[in-house]
Amino acid sequence: MSPMKLPSKVKLVDVGPRDGLQNEKQPVPAEVKIELVHRLQDAGLTEIEVTSFVSPKWVPQMADNAQVMAGIRRQGGVRYSVLTPNMKGFEAAVESRPDEVVVFGAASEAFSQRNINCSIQESIERFAPVVEAARAKNIYVRGAISTAVGCPYEGEVAPERVELVARLMKQIGVQHIGVADTIGVGTPRKVQAAMEAALRHYALDDVSGHFHDTYGQALANTLACLEMGIWQFDTSVAGLGGCPYAKGATGNVATEDVVYLLHGMGVDTGIDLDKLIDAGKYISDFLGRKPNSRAATAILTKRNNEACAVPS
Ligand SMILES: CC(C)(COP(=O)([O-])OP(=O)([O-])OC[C@H]1O[C@@H](n2cnc3c(N)ncnc32)[C@H](O)[C@@H]1OP(=O)([O-])[O-])[C@@H](O)C(=O)NCCC(=O)NCCSC(=O)C[C@@](C)(O)CC(=O)[O-]
């Protein structure tokens, strides 16, 4: 059997500081978020989704957005992205000098309403001036399409819905599309169909996958995308996260698990797995729980056993 042909490079965007922490009920101080970003970049992550400029009434955990952005020690070669749902968010974000802004829409009407309080068509109208203003300032624009395979309110979502939103985003000048399985219900063939829909309007280099792991399918879905040549993925250190408007959905696939998979298949990510595990342990210790990553758990256990085995 001929081995699966994999992309020669894979880029992971760690969304832990934003997607991972946005749903945390306990306050996470800005200094902890900043330290997490530093640890991720020290581990070799070249893109980090830091925070979101959304309403603090809707997502209180991200209210310290400007403080977090201001506190980051920027490292050459690292891109810092932030979510901006409208011009108000963009105008606040721009003060923080992001390298990239993310407009986020949905493939299902109900999720669009619950998440950003407007219809899909209205969301595109809100995004258009954001995209124009960002591009005028040479800030890269990514678009996220939530509920690309399933919606917590509408159930299964057809690939045609993804195709429609990708087309609308393309028309307003969004440069990159992230196809998101917000509630982690997707399985490989369904995710591939959603990706194919996005690829009708975007080149392979301009499409990424964003998989929550609620049903334990995220690694399989990642592999299915790699098989299609997709080489960019959002992942979350320690598997942090969940969306405030998708009850019951767990975090993104853990960055540690994806790195373990890729390195095991001989794909370089530029990421130091040991340092990444330390970053995941740092934030998990702060939150008072174990990292939600099988690879991290296994490696931390192994480290622990080795430390115990050292004769004193
Ligand atoms: C989008 C809005 C702001 C619309 O909210 P709205 O209520 O429709 O907006 P509005 O224009 O009517 O304004 C209402 C109030 O919000 C304020 N406001 C308005 N805009 C902003 C802003 N940018 N920053 C700060 N404040 C803002 C505005 O100033 C006003 O304040 P008030 O007069 O009542 O005091 C709101 O619905 C919101 O903040 N939603 C939160 C969305 C969110 O953060 N969701 C989670 C992230 S998306 C996600 O996790 C999915 C993703 C990307 O990871 C992919 C996946 O897995 O699916």
Side-chain angles (χ1 to χ4, degrees), residues 30-307:
E31 307 79 67
V32 172
K33 294 170 181 162
I34 292 164
E35 176 64 19
L36 177 61
V37 170
H38 290 165
R39 285 173 181 251
L40 289 171
Q41 64 192 17
D42 288 348
L45 269 301
T46 55
E47 182 160 346
I48 302 170
E49 201 172 88
V50 178
T51 186
S52 57
F53 286 80
V54 299
S55 164
K57 287 185 194 151
W58 285 61
V59 187
Q61 187 65 259
M62 296 287 109
D64 58 3
N65 41 32
Q67 197 188 344
V68 174
M69 284 297 281
I72 289 168
R73 186 182 65 242
R74 296 194 188 216
Q75 191 169 292
V78 178
R79 210 144 82 168
Y80 304 93
S81 54
V82 302
L83 265 58
T84 55
N86 53 18
M87 275 310 281
K88 187 175 169 79
F90 177 77
E91 277 157 11
V94 93
E95 303 287 316
S96 299
R97 300 184 296 111
D99 301 297
E100 179 176 310
V101 292
V102 184
V103 291
F104 49 103
S108 71
E109 282 294 347
F111 191 79
S112 181
Q113 289 290 353
R114 302 279 183 115
N115 194 37
I116 50 174
N117 205 23
C118 63
S119 69
I120 293 172
Q121 186 55 44
E122 284 162 344
S123 75
I124 297 295
E125 285 156 24
R126 286 183 187 182
F127 300 154
V130 175
V131 178
E132 195 184 341
R135 294 197 61 176
K137 288 185 183 302
N138 265 327
I139 300 173
Y140 192 77
V141 184
R142 187 151 51 94
I145 306 181
S146 290
T147 59
V149 284
C151 168
Y153 313 107
E154 291 180 12
E156 194 150 332
V157 174
E160 292 72 36
R161 305 294 306 167
V162 178
E163 206 251 289
L164 169 72
V165 182
R167 173 157 54 79
L168 295 172
M169 286 208 181
K170 184 77 182 180
Q171 279 166 2
I172 60 168
V174 171
Q175 291 160 288
H176 178 109
I177 280 293
V179 175
D181 182 9
T182 311
I183 53 171
V185 288
T187 43
R189 295 290 173 246
K190 284 184 184 166
V191 164
Q192 285 179 331
M195 287 294 177
E196 271 159 18
L199 287 167
R200 280 188 215 127
H201 300 284
Y202 283 86
L204 204 50
D205 287 347
D206 300 325
V207 173
S208 55
H210 174 114
F211 304 127
H212 287 258
D213 202 27
T214 320
Y215 287 80
Q217 303 299 301
L219 274 183
N221 293 338
T222 304
L223 199 52
C225 291
L226 287 165
E227 205 179 9
M228 298 171 74
I230 289 162
W231 58 276
Q232 298 174 85
F233 300 93
D234 294 350
T235 58
S236 181
V237 66
L240 296 172
C243 176
Y245 305 102
K247 291 266 173 297
T250 65
N252 285 89
V253 62
T255 313
E256 296 91 320
D257 291 348
V258 177
V259 169
Y260 183 85
L261 169 82
L262 292 169
H263 290 185
M265 296 182 87
V267 178
D268 189 19
T269 61
I271 295 170
D272 179 324
L273 182 57
D274 276 316
K275 285 188 177 176
L276 177 65
I277 285 170
D278 292 340
K281 183 163 170 13
Y282 165 77
I283 190 64
S284 301
D285 284 349
F286 175 82
L287 296 170
R289 55 176 184 255
K290 301 243 179 295
N292 193 10
S293 154
R294 302 290 284 265
T297 303
I299 291 167
L300 286 168
T301 305
K302 195 166 163 226
R303 277 189 198 170
N304 206 24
N305 291 344
E306 282 166 4

